[in-house]
Amino acid sequence: MDLLNYFYSFVAWVLSLGGLIEIPPPTLPTTTTTTTTSPASQVDNATRPNIIVIMADDVGWNDFGFHGSNEIPTPNIDALAYSGVILNRHYSLPTCTPSRASFLTGRHAIRMGLQGLPPNVAEPRGVPLRERLLPEYLKELGYVTRLLGKWHLGYYSDAHLPTSRGFDSFEGYYGGYIRYFDHTVTKNKHRGIDYHRDEAPDRIRPYKDDRYVTDFIATRAEEIIRAHPAERPLYLQLSHLAAHASEGAEPIEVQNLTEVDSEFGYVPEPNRRRYAGVIAALDESVGRVVAALAEARLLENSLIVLLSDNGAPTAIAPFKNHGSNYPLRGVMAFSFFFDRFYAFYRSIADAEKKTLTSDFYLSLSIFFFTISLREQQKATVWEGGVRVPALVYSPLIKKSSRVSQDLFHMTDWFPTLLSAASAGDVAARDSLQLDGIDQWPTLSGSSNDDDDDDGSETKRREALLVNIDEVIGPEAVIAQQYKLIRNVRRYKDYYGIDGNVYSPKEYDVEGVLNSPAALGIRTLAANDQLPKDGKIIQQLRTKARIADCRPKTSNYTDCEDYCLFDVIRDPCETTDLSRKYPEVSVSCLISYYFFEGSYWQPNDRIKIFFFLSRSSCI
């Protein structure tokens, strides 16, 4: 772009900020599916891998066993982790809708106006129809595409529903959460079922079932897998409610409280004990899915991704779920005032025996956003809010049983999964402005480079945008080992404790090796990638664990302006380096303020940020 174009862009930006002009959303060029010239079309559909995505909700760094905690056994998830690649520097966005939108588009949520607060029940907002989602591209490659569980990407028109956005079928809930048993949500003092079985845009219907939702999703996944025709590849996304809190009388809902109290009796805090029950049910469902894939002989050509959409809201009502981001700093959090006023009104409601509805939550949040915008935080950009547990397993991975310290972002899954599916360069074909990077060559081992060789020509991610939010405030960017954050005023504490203090002292390696997931992996014989040696498993676990790096005092670094951290040496974000390395801070700020491209406000009005520098904070 020459200087004249820069000037025109700047003038348009200033005018748009003043409301003098509106810049219409860009439209992607119309695409056509080729069947003879595209390299992707020459691939036999039967050879394309089945892709299974298991996305947990609000699960913290310390809530799966493979990161070093003995508090909540997760043998099935751990078996996948040790058989595949543990992504130890995987970053999400601060909240659910932005993360899910970025996952399915390969683009930052700010490009779609989805930064900040997720859509409320029935709010007329969602992923813009100009965006094409991952399942739409996979369908072009012959995939059968199924979604179970959470959507939360807009449903205010038929065109925004999952079955209009590339999924052949959808069974789940449109909004952000439901109750675990009756699958309802409250709006305008009315409770209704938000669970649907949609088979096409013109065939949508609510579905009533009182089964525990985690088990129900697993059951439907088993049925889909068993009925799937082997000659076609399958894309199956399980977007679990677990471990999101619900609006029920007990926000942390378990299938059988007596059994949970018995199994996790060593956990002293009752709500944390219930949370352990939620995670245990999630882990069991993972084992059922892997076993079903093995039974249907689909596992040998499958790729399984398991991750959380963001960190755990460890300390903040109303959706506090008692997850743990230990030892990382910060939470996935609601506002400072919201926490306190929620407690006050909760006491009034309890005295009058009334239920606080989702309308109450939204109204109170908006009220305090109005009176003090800079004091509010829907989510944090500290490591505890955005550095999430993630793994990928597949017999197609040549170099498995390892811990990757490469940067990985939620936007990377779009090009990475399309690459694994041999889709060809869809970004070039459709002129897509992707933020994600294809990491399949390094994940699969097909790049033939040393995993620790920084000089490799393989394309690796060197930087990522954590968040830009022009309304709420907290923002961050990461480049190599450095992380710049700014406008962080609340929730800068360290929440939760090391559950190993009161948990079983020995890690149950045998439980991992004999889990349903492990038994399913063993059926692959020559492609059985699960280590049999307990020492190797312990070594992987140690490598994936972040040791306690919390400060010994409560005099924490203040980042109301901005801070610079080396998150390789200092993952707990204790030492601000901005004065020690001012040149790095300035470089980061340039990259940050002049982020390449444009972003959309929630009201779909564009703000232009023209590109000035490719600096990566070094």
Side-chain angles (χ1 to χ4, degrees):
M1 181 182 288
D2 58 28
L3 291 178
L4 186 60
N5 284 335
Y6 273 132
F7 174 74
Y8 288 148
S9 295
F10 178 74
V11 171
W13 173 56
V14 172
L15 292 175
S16 70
L17 290 180
L20 299 178
I21 65 171
E22 294 289 330
I23 305 176
T27 55
L28 295 178
T30 303
T31 61
T32 56
T33 305
T34 59
T35 56
T36 56
T37 61
S38 171
S41 66
Q42 300 171 11
V43 178
D44 183 3
N45 280 347
T47 66
R48 300 188 196 274
N50 305 297
I51 300 173
I52 315 299
V53 175
I54 303 173
M55 187 174 292
D57 201 333
D58 289 2
V59 172
W61 177 267
N62 199 44
D63 293 329
F64 292 152
F66 68 81
H67 272 157
S69 175
N70 293 343
E71 186 179 15
I72 308 175
T74 52
N76 294 287
I77 293 172
D78 293 3
L80 287 178
Y82 304 139
S83 304
V85 181
I86 298 172
L87 305 176
N88 237 34
R89 294 190 69 198
H90 185 287
Y91 285 87
S92 70
L93 283 84
T95 52
C96 52
T97 294
S99 276
R100 293 162 194 272
S102 295
F103 180 92
L104 288 175
T105 63
R107 287 159 51 79
H108 288 305
I110 59 171
R111 299 196 191 278
M112 297 172 269
L114 291 175
Q115 67 274 27
L117 285 170
N120 189 38
V121 177
E123 182 181 348
R125 189 157 61 100
V127 175
L129 298 181
R130 63 179 178 268
E131 304 286 345
R132 295 189 69 204
L133 307 190
L134 175 63
E136 296 181 67
Y137 286 98
L138 291 175
K139 283 187 71 171
E140 292 180 353
L141 302 176
Y143 275 80
V144 176
T145 56
R146 313 285 189 194
L147 174 60
L148 299 173
K150 181 171 178 173
W151 174 237
H152 209 194
L153 295 176
Y155 61 99
Y156 65 96
S157 76
D158 289 350
H160 286 83
L161 296 178
T163 49
S164 297
R165 311 301 300 266
F167 286 103
D168 289 313
S169 67
F170 166 70
E171 297 183 28
Y173 51 105
Y174 293 149
Y177 61 91
I178 53 175
R179 299 189 183 208
Y180 278 74
F181 286 99
D182 65 12
H183 310 164
T184 63
V185 68
T186 305
K187 175 69 176 175
N188 294 333
K189 299 181 181 180
H190 295 283
R191 255 174 74 187
I193 296 171
D194 184 10
Y195 212 88
H196 309 263
R197 277 193 171 180
D198 300 350
E199 298 174 355
D202 58 347
R203 286 189 289 166
I204 59 177
R205 60 188 175 93
Y207 182 78
K208 180 172 175 52
D209 191 292
D210 292 334
R211 280 178 284 179
Y212 190 67
V213 66
T214 306
D215 295 340
F216 185 40
I217 289 174
T219 298
R220 290 296 299 127
E222 289 173 324
E223 294 169 354
I224 288 172
I225 291 168
R226 289 166 184 158
H228 182 73
E231 64 273 11
R232 294 190 63 187
L234 171 66
Y235 177 78
L236 174 60
Q237 182 171 332
L238 288 75
S239 294
H240 278 279
L241 176 60
H244 198 290
S246 80
E247 62 176 18
E250 292 291 344
I252 314 300
E253 297 183 87
V254 297
Q255 189 168 26
N256 188 310
L257 183 57
T258 301
E259 291 182 2
V260 167
D261 284 342
S262 175
E263 182 178 358
F264 298 101
Y266 54 84
V267 180
E269 209 284 314
N271 287 305
R272 177 65 178 169
R273 198 182 309 141
R274 291 188 180 94
Y275 179 86
V278 171
I279 295 296
L282 173 64
D283 180 74
E284 180 184 342
S285 75
V286 171
R288 291 171 60 183
V289 169
V290 176
L293 288 168
E295 180 184 346
R297 299 185 178 234
L298 297 178
L299 185 59
E300 60 191 40
N301 189 36
S302 289
L303 187 158
I304 301 175
V305 175
L306 189 146
L307 72 167
S308 179
D309 63 346
N310 44 246
T314 60
I316 315 303
F319 296 115
K320 174 180 176 178
N321 70 353
H322 299 271
S324 173
N325 301 315
Y326 177 89
L328 302 177
R329 188 176 185 180
V331 295
M332 195 290 285
F334 277 80
S335 74
F336 173 79
F337 291 112
F338 197 79
D339 188 26
R340 284 150 179 76
F341 277 85
Y342 170 82
F344 173 70
Y345 283 104
R346 174 89 254 180
S347 64
I348 295 176
D350 289 344
E352 298 182 4
K353 297 182 179 180
K354 293 181 178 180
T355 300
L356 297 182
T357 66
S358 56
D359 271 356
F360 163 79
Y361 301 145
L362 179 65
S363 299
L364 186 61
S365 181
I366 291 174
F367 173 71
F368 286 108
F369 268 113
T370 303
I371 66 171
S372 185
L373 286 176
R374 282 187 61 82
E375 294 294 327
Q376 306 309 303
Q377 290 186 216
K378 171 66 175 69
T380 70
V381 292
W382 298 110
E383 294 288 274
V386 294
R387 185 171 177 175
V388 298
L391 66 91
V392 57
Y393 161 78
S394 176
L396 305 176
I397 294 176
K398 297 178 181 178
K399 188 177 179 181
S400 59
S401 299
R402 60 188 171 94
V403 178
S404 171
Q405 302 294 350
D406 289 340
L407 272 178
F408 205 108
H409 189 255
M410 196 65 91
T411 55
D412 294 340
W413 287 113
F414 179 93
T416 298
L417 295 179
L418 285 177
S419 176
S422 302
D425 192 351
V426 297
R429 187 195 76 183
D430 292 356
S431 302
L432 299 180
Q433 185 183 14
L434 294 182
D435 298 302
I437 293 174
D438 173 14
Q439 302 222 34
W440 181 241
T442 53
L443 284 180
S444 65
S446 59
S447 61
N448 295 319
D449 66 308
D450 187 344
D451 185 54
D452 297 320
D453 182 8
D454 293 334
S456 169
E457 295 182 359
T458 301
K459 189 172 184 180
R460 297 174 184 266
R461 177 175 284 284
E462 294 184 354
L464 62 85
L465 177 70
V466 177
N467 196 47
I468 289 178
D469 196 318
E470 78 283 7
V471 176
I472 300 172
E475 300 163 330
V477 63
I478 294 175
Q480 296 185 0
Q481 75 268 35
Y482 293 111
K483 179 179 179 183
L484 181 84
I485 69 173
R486 63 187 298 269
N487 290 341
V488 176
R489 290 173 169 260
R490 303 293 181 187
Y491 303 112
K492 52 191 177 184
D493 208 334
Y494 296 82
Y495 300 91
I497 63 173
D498 182 2
N500 284 338
V501 172
Y502 49 73
S503 300
K505 299 303 180 184
E506 297 295 328
Y507 180 58
D508 187 7
V509 174
E510 289 302 314
V512 174
L513 294 176
N514 294 310
S515 66
L519 297 178
I521 293 170
R522 283 183 187 170
T523 65
L524 301 182
N527 285 327
D528 177 3
Q529 298 167 313
L530 179 63
K532 309 301 183 299
D533 189 342
K535 291 183 180 180
I536 296 177
I537 287 178
Q538 292 286 14
Q539 289 170 0
L540 288 170
R541 193 169 185 248
T542 298
K543 192 173 182 180
R545 181 174 182 264
I546 296 178
D548 185 7
C549 49
R550 294 179 171 186
K552 305 305 179 184
T553 69
S554 58
N555 186 23
Y556 306 140
T557 305
D558 187 349
C559 299
E560 291 189 14
D561 187 5
Y562 68 88
C563 291
L564 182 73
F565 297 104
D566 182 338
V567 290
I568 296 293
R569 295 183 175 89
D570 180 24
C572 287
E573 298 167 296
T574 64
T575 305
D576 178 19
L577 301 175
S578 59
R579 293 187 178 184
K580 184 177 181 179
Y581 302 119
E583 71 283 2
V584 176
S585 300
V586 171
S587 181
C588 282
L589 281 170
I590 291 174
S591 295
Y592 169 78
Y593 277 115
F594 299 99
F595 177 71
E596 185 178 10
S598 61
Y599 76 83
W600 291 83
Q601 295 177 307
N603 64 359
D604 226 26
R605 189 174 70 182
I606 196 171
K607 279 189 175 183
I608 304 296
F609 269 67
F610 44 86
F611 177 62
L612 288 187
S613 171
R614 282 194 177 273
S615 170
S616 57
C617 305
I618 56 173

